[in-house]
Amino acid sequence: GIQVEQSPPDLILQEGANSTLRCNFSDSVNNLQWFHQNPWGQLINLFYIPSGTKQNGRLSATTVATERYSLLYISSSQTTDSGVYFCAVKRSGGSNYKLTFGKGTLLTVNP
Amino acid sequence: DSGVTQTPKHLITATGQRVTLRCSPRSGDLSVYWYQQSLDQGLQFLIQYYNGEERAKGNILERFSAQQFPDLHSELNLSSLELGDSALYFCASSVGGQGGYGYTFGSGTRLTVV
């Protein structure tokens, strides 16, 4: 099946710092989503971004499908940004409709 | 509120018991997916239903079963529970059967088996 690798596995920031999270995937995809799992376990959908660039407030994401990677940018980080960030993809074609998740990046933002 | 409703939010039960987790998809979505998140396995796909029919199976144990009803809500049944079944169980929904417009996740059910 498709492989999804996220880096870094852990990241510690001071409030106000910027960060870039990376997601590499091993096959062509027609769905890529970034999620934030908060300390209560909720999975919050950040971006649906199989290609191109999107921005939402302090967060933005870019997917270069031809090179099989996606980046999530967090600017002016806040303590509420803490949690695990997951990248999830769905391989193009075939009959497999599941999302495959990476292992996540654990982000800790200190005040 | 994502629009995907999961109940209950928390469940504590004993080994050997059986539980049912319920999911109501977002309005208009025909597909329902179940995922299990455990500490050692990460987020694993269990099973997908589309408009009442099973569409795809992942790493779902034989002790687990699911169904999707005519009103499109889905239930995940876990039986003969073991300590290792303790996990967060997520339901997700999408418009079509291929998730082409993204998947929306519910808040999850935290199952603790004691």
Side-chain angles (χ1 to χ4, degrees):
Chain A
I2 192 168
Q3 305 298 312
V4 182
E5 292 186 4
Q6 291 186 242
S7 59
D10 301 276
L11 189 56
I12 300 175
L13 300 174
Q14 285 299 122
E15 203 167 22
N18 302 329
S19 62
T20 301
L21 281 56
R22 187 176 180 102
C23 171
N24 292 332
F25 43 95
S26 62
D27 206 340
S28 299
V29 301
N30 59 8
N31 184 342
L32 187 146
Q33 290 181 248
W34 283 96
F35 295 91
H36 174 218
Q37 188 167 36
N38 63 25
W40 295 271
Q42 292 178 311
L43 269 177
I44 311 298
N45 183 39
L46 298 176
F47 294 103
Y48 167 72
I49 187 166
S51 64
T53 297
K54 289 187 178 179
Q55 180 156 6
N56 184 3
R58 296 180 296 103
L59 273 59
S60 64
T62 294
T63 297
V64 184
T66 52
E67 298 188 20
R68 299 183 183 169
Y69 73 90
S70 182
L71 302 173
L72 177 69
Y73 305 96
I74 305 174
S75 64
S76 304
S77 58
Q78 301 175 358
T79 55
T80 52
D81 295 331
S82 296
V84 183
Y85 289 80
F86 288 103
C87 169
V89 303
K90 188 184 82 65
R91 189 172 60 84
S92 300
S95 59
N96 192 337
Y97 305 128
K98 68 174 184 178
L99 272 180
T100 299
F101 282 78
K103 293 187 183 303
T105 292
L106 174 60
L107 175 64
T108 303
V109 181
N110 292 321
Chain B
D1 181 6
S2 68
V4 177
T5 304
Q6 289 189 246
T7 57
K9 293 194 185 308
H10 303 276
L11 201 47
I12 301 175
T13 190
T15 54
Q17 295 298 304
R18 171 190 164 98
V19 297
T20 298
L21 313 184
R22 183 188 168 101
C23 169
S24 293
R26 199 177 53 165
S27 178
D29 287 356
L30 299 179
S31 258
V32 169
Y33 310 78
W34 286 97
Y35 283 80
Q36 178 193 55
Q37 185 181 28
S38 59
L39 281 175
D40 55 344
Q41 293 292 324
L43 273 152
Q44 298 284 315
F45 168 71
L46 294 179
I47 197 164
Q48 176 201 3
Y49 279 82
Y50 175 74
N51 204 20
E53 294 193 2
E54 182 183 304
R55 178 64 71 88
K57 256 185 176 178
N59 302 321
I60 187 166
L61 300 173
E62 286 192 10
R63 299 184 286 109
F64 296 0
S65 65
Q67 53 185 326
Q68 186 178 28
F69 295 86
D71 66 352
L72 300 178
H73 90 271
S74 178
E75 293 181 355
L76 179 67
N77 301 296
L78 315 176
S79 61
S80 303
L81 285 167
E82 302 175 359
L83 295 178
D85 297 327
S86 296
L88 256 176
Y89 291 85
F90 287 102
C91 169
S93 70
S94 67
V95 171
Q98 301 187 32
Y101 298 98
Y103 300 71
T104 302
F105 279 75
S107 298
T109 293
R110 189 177 295 275
L111 173 66
T112 303
V113 183
V114 297

